[in-house]
mmCIF file of all heavy atoms in Angstrom:
data_model
loop_
_atom_site.group_PDB
_atom_site.id
_atom_site.type_symbol
_atom_site.label_atom_id
_atom_site.label_comp_id
_atom_site.label_asym_id
_atom_site.label_seq_id
_atom_site.Cartn_x
_atom_site.Cartn_y
_atom_site.Cartn_z
ATOM 1 N N LYS A 1 4.389 -28.711 6.385
ATOM 2 C CA LYS A 1 4.238 -27.500 5.572
ATOM 3 C C LYS A 1 5.609 -26.872 5.309
ATOM 4 O O LYS A 1 6.189 -26.236 6.193
ATOM 5 C CB LYS A 1 3.306 -26.511 6.266
ATOM 6 C CG LYS A 1 1.878 -27.049 6.441
ATOM 7 C CD LYS A 1 1.002 -26.076 7.197
ATOM 8 C CE LYS A 1 -0.447 -26.547 7.224
ATOM 9 N NZ LYS A 1 -0.616 -27.819 7.943
ATOM 10 N N LEU A 2 6.097 -27.065 4.103
ATOM 11 C CA LEU A 2 7.352 -26.452 3.664
ATOM 12 C C LEU A 2 7.026 -25.132 2.988
ATOM 13 O O LEU A 2 6.174 -25.080 2.093
ATOM 14 C CB LEU A 2 8.064 -27.383 2.686
ATOM 15 C CG LEU A 2 9.405 -26.894 2.141
ATOM 16 C CD1 LEU A 2 10.496 -27.047 3.200
ATOM 17 C CD2 LEU A 2 9.794 -27.668 0.879
ATOM 18 N N PHE A 3 7.712 -24.060 3.393
ATOM 19 C CA PHE A 3 7.451 -22.757 2.780
ATOM 20 C C PHE A 3 8.755 -22.138 2.309
ATOM 21 O O PHE A 3 9.813 -22.324 2.918
ATOM 22 C CB PHE A 3 6.743 -21.811 3.770
ATOM 23 C CG PHE A 3 7.590 -21.410 4.946
ATOM 24 C CD1 PHE A 3 8.364 -20.254 4.916
ATOM 25 C CD2 PHE A 3 7.619 -22.189 6.098
ATOM 26 C CE1 PHE A 3 9.144 -19.883 6.004
ATOM 27 C CE2 PHE A 3 8.402 -21.826 7.187
ATOM 28 C CZ PHE A 3 9.168 -20.680 7.141
ATOM 29 N N SER A 4 8.672 -21.378 1.225
ATOM 30 C CA SER A 4 9.821 -20.635 0.705
ATOM 31 C C SER A 4 9.574 -19.146 0.868
ATOM 32 O O SER A 4 8.473 -18.656 0.589
ATOM 33 C CB SER A 4 10.047 -20.946 -0.778
ATOM 34 O OG SER A 4 10.587 -22.236 -0.955
ATOM 35 N N THR A 5 10.619 -18.424 1.307
ATOM 36 C CA THR A 5 10.536 -16.972 1.424
ATOM 37 C C THR A 5 11.372 -16.275 0.355
ATOM 38 O O THR A 5 11.345 -15.051 0.252
ATOM 39 C CB THR A 5 11.023 -16.516 2.811
ATOM 40 O OG1 THR A 5 12.343 -17.026 3.037
ATOM 41 C CG2 THR A 5 10.090 -17.024 3.896
ATOM 42 N N ASP A 6 12.126 -17.050 -0.426
ATOM 43 C CA ASP A 6 12.938 -16.519 -1.516
ATOM 44 C C ASP A 6 13.001 -17.572 -2.603
ATOM 45 O O ASP A 6 12.735 -18.753 -2.361
ATOM 46 C CB ASP A 6 14.340 -16.159 -1.032
ATOM 47 C CG ASP A 6 14.965 -15.032 -1.862
ATOM 48 O OD1 ASP A 6 14.564 -14.886 -3.037
ATOM 49 O OD2 ASP A 6 15.832 -14.317 -1.344
ATOM 50 N N ASN A 7 13.341 -17.145 -3.799
ATOM 51 C CA ASN A 7 13.340 -18.063 -4.937
ATOM 52 C C ASN A 7 14.666 -18.809 -5.051
ATOM 53 O O ASN A 7 15.344 -18.774 -6.077
ATOM 54 C CB ASN A 7 13.025 -17.295 -6.229
ATOM 55 C CG ASN A 7 11.653 -16.662 -6.173
ATOM 56 O OD1 ASN A 7 10.658 -17.333 -5.902
ATOM 57 N ND2 ASN A 7 11.595 -15.360 -6.390
ATOM 58 N N GLU A 8 15.022 -19.460 -3.967
ATOM 59 C CA GLU A 8 16.237 -20.252 -3.872
ATOM 60 C C GLU A 8 15.884 -21.655 -3.404
ATOM 61 O O GLU A 8 14.842 -21.866 -2.779
ATOM 62 C CB GLU A 8 17.229 -19.603 -2.895
ATOM 63 C CG GLU A 8 17.714 -18.220 -3.303
ATOM 64 C CD GLU A 8 18.632 -18.240 -4.513
ATOM 65 O OE1 GLU A 8 19.210 -19.314 -4.803
ATOM 66 O OE2 GLU A 8 18.783 -17.181 -5.155
ATOM 67 N N PRO A 9 16.759 -22.631 -3.663
ATOM 68 C CA PRO A 9 16.464 -24.005 -3.232
ATOM 69 C C PRO A 9 16.385 -24.142 -1.716
ATOM 70 O O PRO A 9 17.075 -23.442 -0.970
ATOM 71 C CB PRO A 9 17.635 -24.814 -3.799
ATOM 72 C CG PRO A 9 18.194 -23.980 -4.902
ATOM 73 C CD PRO A 9 17.988 -22.556 -4.478
ATOM 74 N N LEU A 10 15.546 -25.054 -1.271
ATOM 75 C CA LEU A 10 15.482 -25.483 0.117
ATOM 76 C C LEU A 10 15.843 -26.964 0.164
ATOM 77 O O LEU A 10 15.400 -27.740 -0.693
ATOM 78 C CB LEU A 10 14.086 -25.294 0.701
ATOM 79 C CG LEU A 10 13.648 -23.886 1.077
ATOM 80 C CD1 LEU A 10 12.186 -23.907 1.515
ATOM 81 C CD2 LEU A 10 14.512 -23.337 2.198
ATOM 82 N N VAL A 11 16.622 -27.360 1.164
ATOM 83 C CA VAL A 11 17.068 -28.747 1.258
ATOM 84 C C VAL A 11 16.669 -29.323 2.611
ATOM 85 O O VAL A 11 16.955 -28.742 3.664
ATOM 86 C CB VAL A 11 18.599 -28.847 1.087
ATOM 87 C CG1 VAL A 11 19.059 -30.296 1.271
ATOM 88 C CG2 VAL A 11 19.010 -28.345 -0.294
ATOM 89 N N LEU A 12 15.988 -30.480 2.566
ATOM 90 C CA LEU A 12 15.704 -31.257 3.770
ATOM 91 C C LEU A 12 16.670 -32.428 3.816
ATOM 92 O O LEU A 12 16.794 -33.172 2.832
ATOM 93 C CB LEU A 12 14.264 -31.784 3.750
ATOM 94 C CG LEU A 12 13.134 -30.764 3.862
ATOM 95 C CD1 LEU A 12 11.790 -31.461 3.713
ATOM 96 C CD2 LEU A 12 13.202 -30.031 5.206
ATOM 97 N N MET A 13 17.352 -32.609 4.942
ATOM 98 C CA MET A 13 18.291 -33.718 5.113
ATOM 99 C C MET A 13 17.724 -34.732 6.098
ATOM 100 O O MET A 13 17.055 -34.359 7.081
ATOM 101 C CB MET A 13 19.637 -33.204 5.615
ATOM 102 C CG MET A 13 20.388 -32.331 4.636
ATOM 103 S SD MET A 13 21.923 -31.668 5.372
ATOM 104 C CE MET A 13 22.760 -33.180 5.870
ATOM 105 N N PHE A 14 18.010 -36.013 5.838
ATOM 106 C CA PHE A 14 17.516 -37.083 6.695
ATOM 107 C C PHE A 14 18.647 -38.056 7.021
ATOM 108 O O PHE A 14 19.400 -38.460 6.137
ATOM 109 C CB PHE A 14 16.371 -37.836 6.019
ATOM 110 C CG PHE A 14 15.191 -36.958 5.709
ATOM 111 C CD1 PHE A 14 15.055 -36.366 4.456
ATOM 112 C CD2 PHE A 14 14.225 -36.693 6.666
ATOM 113 C CE1 PHE A 14 13.985 -35.539 4.162
ATOM 114 C CE2 PHE A 14 13.150 -35.871 6.391
ATOM 115 C CZ PHE A 14 13.024 -35.286 5.135
ATOM 116 N N ASP A 15 18.757 -38.424 8.293
ATOM 117 C CA ASP A 15 19.730 -39.418 8.711
ATOM 118 C C ASP A 15 19.137 -40.813 8.540
ATOM 119 O O ASP A 15 17.914 -41.007 8.715
ATOM 120 C CB ASP A 15 20.118 -39.205 10.175
ATOM 121 C CG ASP A 15 20.876 -37.909 10.388
ATOM 122 O OD1 ASP A 15 21.506 -37.428 9.428
ATOM 123 O OD2 ASP A 15 20.834 -37.373 11.515
ATOM 124 N N VAL A 16 19.990 -41.777 8.220
ATOM 125 C CA VAL A 16 19.527 -43.138 7.996
ATOM 126 C C VAL A 16 20.391 -44.123 8.774
ATOM 127 O O VAL A 16 21.504 -43.822 9.197
ATOM 128 C CB VAL A 16 19.546 -43.509 6.492
ATOM 129 C CG1 VAL A 16 18.692 -42.540 5.689
ATOM 130 C CG2 VAL A 16 20.978 -43.549 5.950
ATOM 131 N N ALA A 17 19.845 -45.329 8.956
ATOM 132 C CA ALA A 17 20.580 -46.449 9.534
ATOM 133 C C ALA A 17 20.376 -47.653 8.625
ATOM 134 O O ALA A 17 19.416 -47.711 7.838
ATOM 135 C CB ALA A 17 20.083 -46.751 10.946
ATOM 136 N N ASP A 18 21.247 -48.617 8.705
ATOM 137 C CA ASP A 18 21.157 -49.805 7.864
ATOM 138 C C ASP A 18 19.889 -50.595 8.188
ATOM 139 O O ASP A 18 19.511 -50.768 9.346
ATOM 140 C CB ASP A 18 22.379 -50.700 8.065
ATOM 141 C CG ASP A 18 23.661 -50.041 7.577
ATOM 142 O OD1 ASP A 18 23.552 -49.082 6.786
ATOM 143 O OD2 ASP A 18 24.750 -50.464 7.987
ATOM 144 N N ALA A 19 19.234 -51.067 7.133
ATOM 145 C CA ALA A 19 18.008 -51.853 7.278
ATOM 146 C C ALA A 19 17.701 -52.478 5.927
ATOM 147 O O ALA A 19 18.483 -52.367 4.983
ATOM 148 C CB ALA A 19 16.851 -50.974 7.731
ATOM 149 N N GLU A 20 16.549 -53.151 5.824
ATOM 150 C CA GLU A 20 16.108 -53.629 4.526
ATOM 151 C C GLU A 20 15.595 -52.450 3.702
ATOM 152 O O GLU A 20 15.331 -51.363 4.225
ATOM 153 C CB GLU A 20 15.016 -54.683 4.688
ATOM 154 C CG GLU A 20 15.509 -56.007 5.262
ATOM 155 C CD GLU A 20 14.431 -57.074 5.231
ATOM 156 O OE1 GLU A 20 13.247 -56.708 5.059
ATOM 157 O OE2 GLU A 20 14.778 -58.255 5.374
ATOM 158 N N THR A 21 15.442 -52.689 2.384
ATOM 159 C CA THR A 21 14.906 -51.654 1.503
ATOM 160 C C THR A 21 13.585 -51.126 2.054
ATOM 161 O O THR A 21 12.707 -51.895 2.427
ATOM 162 C CB THR A 21 14.695 -52.208 0.085
ATOM 163 O OG1 THR A 21 15.958 -52.575 -0.458
ATOM 164 C CG2 THR A 21 14.032 -51.178 -0.817
ATOM 165 N N ASN A 22 13.458 -49.822 2.118
ATOM 166 C CA ASN A 22 12.274 -49.197 2.677
ATOM 167 C C ASN A 22 11.661 -48.205 1.701
ATOM 168 O O ASN A 22 12.374 -47.556 0.927
ATOM 169 C CB ASN A 22 12.617 -48.464 3.980
ATOM 170 C CG ASN A 22 12.497 -49.358 5.191
ATOM 171 O OD1 ASN A 22 11.535 -50.121 5.292
ATOM 172 N ND2 ASN A 22 13.457 -49.288 6.088
ATOM 173 N N ILE A 23 10.351 -48.085 1.762
ATOM 174 C CA ILE A 23 9.599 -47.125 0.949
ATOM 175 C C ILE A 23 8.925 -46.140 1.897
ATOM 176 O O ILE A 23 8.311 -46.548 2.890
ATOM 177 C CB ILE A 23 8.542 -47.842 0.089
ATOM 178 C CG1 ILE A 23 9.213 -48.815 -0.886
ATOM 179 C CG2 ILE A 23 7.681 -46.826 -0.665
ATOM 180 C CD1 ILE A 23 8.240 -49.768 -1.537
ATOM 181 N N TYR A 24 9.059 -44.866 1.590
ATOM 182 C CA TYR A 24 8.462 -43.811 2.408
ATOM 183 C C TYR A 24 7.491 -42.988 1.577
ATOM 184 O O TYR A 24 7.837 -42.513 0.488
ATOM 185 C CB TYR A 24 9.546 -42.894 2.985
ATOM 186 C CG TYR A 24 10.318 -43.522 4.119
ATOM 187 C CD1 TYR A 24 11.394 -44.357 3.862
ATOM 188 C CD2 TYR A 24 9.944 -43.291 5.442
ATOM 189 C CE1 TYR A 24 12.090 -44.959 4.902
ATOM 190 C CE2 TYR A 24 10.640 -43.876 6.490
ATOM 191 C CZ TYR A 24 11.714 -44.708 6.217
ATOM 192 O OH TYR A 24 12.391 -45.306 7.250
ATOM 193 N N ARG A 25 6.308 -42.809 2.110
ATOM 194 C CA ARG A 25 5.354 -41.873 1.528
ATOM 195 C C ARG A 25 5.653 -40.490 2.083
ATOM 196 O O ARG A 25 5.873 -40.326 3.293
ATOM 197 C CB ARG A 25 3.924 -42.284 1.882
ATOM 198 C CG ARG A 25 2.841 -41.465 1.186
ATOM 199 C CD ARG A 25 1.463 -41.906 1.664
ATOM 200 N NE ARG A 25 0.404 -41.246 0.905
ATOM 201 C CZ ARG A 25 -0.886 -41.280 1.237
ATOM 202 N NH1 ARG A 25 -1.270 -41.948 2.325
ATOM 203 N NH2 ARG A 25 -1.787 -40.667 0.508
ATOM 204 N N VAL A 26 5.697 -39.483 1.217
ATOM 205 C CA VAL A 26 5.930 -38.110 1.647
ATOM 206 C C VAL A 26 4.616 -37.348 1.538
ATOM 207 O O VAL A 26 4.013 -37.274 0.462
ATOM 208 C CB VAL A 26 7.023 -37.420 0.804
ATOM 209 C CG1 VAL A 26 7.278 -36.013 1.331
ATOM 210 C CG2 VAL A 26 8.311 -38.243 0.829
ATOM 211 N N LEU A 27 4.174 -36.796 2.666
ATOM 212 C CA LEU A 27 2.928 -36.033 2.742
ATOM 213 C C LEU A 27 3.287 -34.606 3.130
ATOM 214 O O LEU A 27 3.696 -34.352 4.274
ATOM 215 C CB LEU A 27 2.003 -36.642 3.791
ATOM 216 C CG LEU A 27 1.504 -38.067 3.504
ATOM 217 C CD1 LEU A 27 0.937 -38.698 4.758
ATOM 218 C CD2 LEU A 27 0.458 -38.039 2.403
ATOM 219 N N GLN A 28 3.151 -33.678 2.192
ATOM 220 C CA GLN A 28 3.583 -32.318 2.478
ATOM 221 C C GLN A 28 2.725 -31.286 1.771
ATOM 222 O O GLN A 28 1.964 -31.597 0.844
ATOM 223 C CB GLN A 28 5.035 -32.127 2.050
ATOM 224 C CG GLN A 28 5.240 -32.003 0.545
ATOM 225 C CD GLN A 28 6.620 -31.502 0.172
ATOM 226 O OE1 GLN A 28 7.506 -32.295 -0.121
ATOM 227 N NE2 GLN A 28 6.787 -30.193 0.154
#
């Protein structure tokens, strides 16, 4: 559950490691 309290951008950052091409489903 991502929520905004002001009308400004929110940024989620994710760390990665080397691997084969991957596909991620985002459920939010």
Side-chain angles (χ1 to χ4, degrees):
K1 297 177 174 63
L2 181 76
F3 67 92
S4 287
T5 55
D6 208 334
N7 298 307
E8 298 290 339
L10 284 175
V11 177
L12 292 176
M13 294 176 56
F14 299 94
D15 293 335
V16 302
D18 294 341
E20 290 188 344
T21 296
N22 271 317
I23 298 167
Y24 285 84
R25 187 183 186 191
V26 183
L27 296 164
Q28 75 167 96

